[in-house]
Amino acid sequence: MFLFLNERGVLAEIGWDGPQRNKLWRYNQHYFDDLNAINASARCDRHEALLEDWLQSNAPTTGTGWESYPTSLRIVNWIKWLQGGNRLSPGCVQSLAVQARWLRRRLEVHLLGNHLMANAKAMVFAGLLFKGNEPKEWLKKGLAILERELPEQVLEDGGHFELSPMYHQIALEDVLDLINLCRAYERPYPNEWNGIIRQMLRWLKVMQHPDGGIAFFNDAAMGIAPEPSAIETYAARLDFGHDAPVGDGVTDLVSTGYFRLQQSAAVVYIDAAPVGPDYLPGHAHADTLSCEFSLYGQRVLVNSGVSVYGCGEERQRQRSTAAHNTLVIDGQNSSEVWAGFRVGRRARIIERQAGVESGALWVKSAHNGYRALNGSPIHIRTWRLGQNELEVIDEVEGRGFHRLDVVWRLHPDITLLRVSATEAELRGQAFLVSLICEGCTLNVEPTTWHPRFGTSVNTHQLVLRDANELPRRFITRLTWSPR
């Protein structure tokens, strides 16, 4: 029995490459992540049988399992399993060499990003496991890619350049694995990797909610990458100590574009970032100037998250501006997301500043993602976080008549007690929140939240709505008290 993306499948019924499951599910089937999962040793006999079944059922070079990305992850997982003191049959060892040779000729230079990083990691793993001239070439190629790609993909503030906290976790684990492997083989590695690890750990710490999970910007969900706590524990085992907790104040992740505001029990995460690298925005959402909010350790305002990949309506909905806590103009997306992993016209940040004033933390930013609409609207948003209040000011400059919606999606555990045309009362586990809006009408709508792939949780969103001539200005003010 397999369980991937919260969907089950029995090998005897679906095989290794049948049509009953989607591509991403099949990819996970061929990764062999469970070889190195928690308590994997208790399933050793089952794993050995599964390895042999894969060997007999997946002829070299054919099927989903031999595509470059699942091949890369499988090579690493098989070698980790072997280095953990487990047995690989002679047939599996021979297959590993064949897989490495096959991958070397099919590196995903056309996709770049996390795919090429995974390819390079597999080349290093295979190059250190095997002996001879060809494995030396694999190792040399993998290290050459890493030398080029790590400075490109890990920005100066430590964030991964695809601007997804989930893919940041994956990239961070990759670098930790490479350091661990090099030390195990007593192989020197570039000293720069140590600094990269420390910066990436700090970035991950900044982008964590108090509940220990990541903020949801761009493609982000739980359960795909190791939890932040697991990554920090792994890093500590490699002598990368824990950073001090992120404290009160404004934290500006300048290179990636995110902000974190923290004032006592309240934490706000702000996307004042580009959608991603201009040449690689595949994991981008139309979420510019969106935000998330936690209070007393509980999430209150959440972005959509991700439950599906591929090219369907639900994937498009989850990437849309309306699925995030930001302003929507005329029902359009601020960036033109299309297909499963494509972006056309992109929102550009045209203003970005922050500070502290009279004890309140503030961030102000603007984007031009709606410039193609009549009157060329510009969205300007200001956040002010005080001791017991969060104020968000949305201004829309430009001309013409437009429909304007400000979306606030509630975490499913937040109870909506009361709502009127201008005010709502919310209850969390340990607090009460009053939300008041000015300059618009408050509406309640059903929606969903997607904390994991294959998961859709019912919740509600508050939508501040207006239709009028520009310029316009709205205010959302949240005040809270413990209960």
Side-chain angles (χ1 to χ4, degrees), residues 123-131 135 139 178 181-182 185 187:
M123 289 287 92
V124 172
F125 267 67
L128 288 176
L129 175 68
F130 292 102
K131 306 302 179 185
L139 177 61
L178 287 161
L181 182 77
C182 288
Y185 278 91
R187 168 86 188 195

Side-chain angles (χ1 to χ4, degrees), residues 71-128:
T71 297
S72 297
L73 272 62
R74 185 174 56 253
I75 287 172
V76 169
N77 279 323
W78 283 21
I79 294 174
K80 281 185 178 182
W81 157 268
L82 184 61
Q83 296 297 331
N86 299 289
R87 189 185 74 89
L88 276 180
S89 69
C92 285
V93 173
Q94 181 181 15
S95 175
L96 259 180
V98 173
Q99 292 175 54
R101 181 178 295 126
W102 170 260
L103 175 63
R104 171 61 186 89
R105 298 169 183 168
R106 288 159 182 82
L107 301 174
E108 294 172 285
V109 293
H110 59 299
L111 294 179
L112 301 171
N114 65 87
H115 278 246
L116 187 57
M117 281 278 288
N119 302 161
K121 178 182 176 182
M123 289 287 92
V124 172
F125 267 67
L128 288 176

Side-chain angles (χ1 to χ4, degrees), residues 38-89:
I38 296 173
N39 297 324
S41 59
R43 301 183 291 277
C44 186
D45 291 345
R46 191 186 315 168
H47 287 148
E48 289 183 355
L50 197 61
L51 286 162
E52 293 304 316
D53 194 287
W54 187 91
L55 205 61
Q56 298 302 317
S57 304
N58 293 272
T61 78
T62 61
T64 299
W66 284 85
E67 293 184 23
S68 297
Y69 190 69
T71 297
S72 297
L73 272 62
R74 185 174 56 253
I75 287 172
V76 169
N77 279 323
W78 283 21
I79 294 174
K80 281 185 178 182
W81 157 268
L82 184 61
Q83 296 297 331
N86 299 289
R87 189 185 74 89
L88 276 180
S89 69

